[in-house]
Amino acid sequence: MIKNISFQQIPVRDQHRALVFYAGKLGFKRHTDAPWKPGVRWAMLRDSEGDLILLESMKAG
């Protein structure tokens, strides 16, 4: 049985929708939401078990 997740990175297609879902539906709290590099934003959520990072998948072309 998993007792603790300290860090998990999840690639998503729509970062905003993922933030709404994980924060609104699952109860994660926003820890960091800031620009990372041009056109990319770093979003980290946190709960009592650890951190979750949502990275928007890069689009081809």
Side-chain angles (χ1 to χ4, degrees), residues 6-51:
S6 59
F7 171 86
Q8 183 62 46
Q9 180 176 321
I10 299 176
V12 297
R13 291 179 197 250
D14 184 331
Q15 200 175 43
H16 176 74
R17 283 185 62 198
L19 284 167
V20 169
F21 174 76
Y22 284 99
K25 301 288 184 184
L26 299 182
F28 284 81
K29 305 291 184 215
R30 285 188 193 207
H31 178 267
T32 305
D33 190 353
W36 179 31
K37 56 185 177 180
V40 180
R41 146 182 171 202
W42 180 266
M44 180 183 287
L45 303 171
R46 178 169 280 170
D47 78 349
S48 61
E49 298 298 318
D51 298 331

Side-chain angles (χ1 to χ4, degrees), residues 1-5 49:
M1 174 164 60
I2 297 173
K3 296 192 182 229
N4 190 331
I5 296 176
E49 298 298 318

